[in-house]
Amino acid sequence: MGAAVEISTGMIDPIHLKGKHVMLGTTSLGVLDGTQSVVRFDVPSGKHVLYLKDGLTTSGAVAFRVHTGHCAQLTLKDVDAGMFAAIFGGWFALKRSGDAALDEQTPGAEEISVDEVPADA
């Protein structure tokens, strides 16, 4: 059993994100089709950096740790600068998620600093 990451477009119409590559570090998980407001991808458990990429342009990145059997849920937020910020340097907010906590102190998924993720992850 692996882990997963789920991305919600939140208040942003999915059509505005059509063609954006979902990147887990340097690996493309897939391309947003502009029709779904929630997408889920299988990922290995561990520490990761996720961002959207369109050509040479990327969104703001979010780093997270997700444990086996859990799903990290991310919501794309529209920052004060409007849609431009959401796609060209916007940010994601990470919500803890999972089918169950591993113990009282360990969440199934949590946001971490980008600096905590190894360069090859």
Side-chain angles (χ1 to χ4, degrees), residues 72-94:
Q73 291 181 313
L74 305 175
T75 301
L76 190 61
K77 299 287 186 175
D78 189 4
V79 183
D80 293 336
M83 279 306 302
F84 181 82
I87 298 170
F88 303 105
W91 55 276
F92 300 101
L94 180 67

Side-chain angles (χ1 to χ4, degrees), residues 4-22:
V5 63
E6 183 178 276
I7 303 165
S8 169
T9 62
M11 300 296 290
I12 300 170
D13 188 331
I15 194 67
H16 296 297
L17 304 169
K18 183 177 182 177
K20 307 294 183 259
H21 290 260
V22 178

Side-chain angles (χ1 to χ4, degrees), residues 4-54:
V5 63
E6 183 178 276
I7 303 165
S8 169
T9 62
M11 300 296 290
I12 300 170
D13 188 331
I15 194 67
H16 296 297
L17 304 169
K18 183 177 182 177
K20 307 294 183 259
H21 290 260
V22 178
M23 302 297 295
L24 192 70
T26 58
T27 303
S28 177
L29 295 178
V31 179
L32 299 177
D33 67 7
T35 64
Q36 298 175 307
S37 59
V38 177
V39 294
R40 182 179 283 192
F41 300 97
D42 292 331
V43 298
S45 60
K47 299 176 182 179
H48 303 288
V49 174
L50 187 132
Y51 59 95
L52 296 183
K53 182 175 181 175
D54 187 5

